[in-house]
Amino acid sequence: MTLFWFIKYIEDVFFKHSCLMCSCTIKEQPKLCEICLLDLPKLSLPKKGVNLLLRPDINRLFKKVKFDSLFAALWYQEPNSIWLSKLKFNNKIYFRHVLIQIIQSQINIASKHENWIWPDMIIIMPLHTRRFSMRGFNQVEQVWREALLTLPGFDRSLLTEEVLKRTKYTKAQTNLNAKQRHKNISSAFTVKGDVNGKVIAIVDDVITTGTTINEVSDCLKAAGANHVLAWATCLTPLQK
Ligand SMILES: [Zn+2]
């Protein structure tokens, strides 16, 4: 932890809470003030409905789409890309509160729309047991579990565990091309629970080409799922 973050952490714990970005004083936990929250590269809803695939600029990101609907909170850009990677690779849980705040704020906006549907089941993208024991935590779960469970009126029974397993140990997708990504993730998941006829949301941290979410969607639909909704913290914008 750098000296700056250490001082900020001590300040927040013992003296006052300040905005993670502008340092103005705020009432709660290490979070963002309302102005900084507004300034982030959040994803606004399409003109009709809540499915981000209806936005042409977002639809263009994916060559194939096997899932039925997409919700994501942010573009994968600074500063949030830094928060996500610090959380994922260094377990800096300091950033968890901020990501939870942003996700809740975006769900609150989307869920007020008449086209929003709550699924029958929400599955957090599982890690392979080997990856989990190396990392010690699932970074998607760290953020999304609390984000959902502390949403007012959220039905806790929607969050399901043990339904989807990652049964093949795969390389990180980041440095692979499209063909390699597909081969790497192919047959990586196994459905262990009853998903027949259900609407299922699968939650991930960053969606880039959609290869992993597509593979999960195929797997869930082969097991009888009716609809698969992809939910993510971030979408990676097209490289210019
Ligand atoms: Zn601020």
Side-chain angles (χ1 to χ4, degrees), residues 19 21-24 32-33 36:
C19 171
M21 288 175 75
C22 73
S23 298
C24 75
L32 300 178
C33 71
C36 289

Side-chain angles (χ1 to χ4, degrees), residues 21-32:
M21 288 175 75
C22 73
S23 298
C24 75
T25 304
I26 51 173
K27 281 184 196 155
E28 294 176 75
Q29 285 282 15
K31 281 187 176 181
L32 300 178

Side-chain angles (χ1 to χ4, degrees), residues 53-211:
L53 292 173
L54 296 172
R55 271 179 53 170
D57 61 328
I58 290 177
N59 200 292
R60 258 203 307 274
L61 301 175
F62 307 104
K63 284 209 171 83
K64 275 187 199 158
V65 179
K66 305 280 185 78
F67 43 93
D68 301 281
S69 180
L70 174 66
F71 166 80
L74 295 153
W75 283 116
Y76 189 62
Q77 286 175 352
E78 289 187 13
N80 32 282
S81 54
I82 296 172
W83 303 336
L84 266 144
S85 84
K86 281 189 193 280
L87 184 69
K88 184 169 179 174
F89 299 110
N90 308 97
N91 197 13
K92 301 272 189 213
I93 55 168
Y94 193 82
F95 299 104
R96 197 163 62 107
H97 300 287
V98 174
L99 292 167
I100 289 170
Q101 179 191 19
I102 301 161
I103 289 166
Q104 287 189 331
S105 158
Q106 292 300 93
I107 290 181
N108 275 332
I109 295 169
S111 63
K112 286 193 179 82
H113 196 283
E114 57 178 349
N115 290 1
W116 174 266
I117 45 164
W118 284 104
D120 301 311
M121 218 181 242
I122 300 173
I123 299 173
I124 289 174
M125 185 67 84
L127 290 180
H128 189 272
T129 45
R130 181 145 50 125
R131 173 102 48 212
F132 185 83
S133 48
M134 282 192 300
R135 195 174 285 165
F137 58 94
N138 178 340
Q139 77 285 352
V140 188
E141 180 154 32
Q142 271 192 336
V143 172
W144 276 83
R145 175 168 285 278
E146 190 177 331
L148 292 169
L149 290 179
T150 55
L151 263 185
F154 179 75
D155 176 359
R156 302 174 73 93
S157 69
L158 296 185
L159 256 182
T160 13
E161 288 175 41
E162 310 291 319
V163 171
L164 185 75
K165 293 277 181 196
R166 201 158 183 146
T167 41
K168 178 175 139 190
Y169 185 73
T170 54
K171 293 179 202 158
Q173 298 276 77
T174 320
N175 297 318
L176 304 180
N177 66 31
K179 206 171 170 184
Q180 291 166 329
R181 277 175 185 244
H182 184 70
K183 192 174 171 209
N184 185 43
I185 207 74
S186 177
S187 309
F189 299 93
T190 309
V191 177
K192 298 279 188 184
D194 178 16
V195 295
N196 200 29
K198 298 210 162 40
V199 176
I200 299 179
I202 175 83
V203 186
D204 207 352
D205 52 356
V206 184
I207 296 181
T208 303
T209 59
T211 315

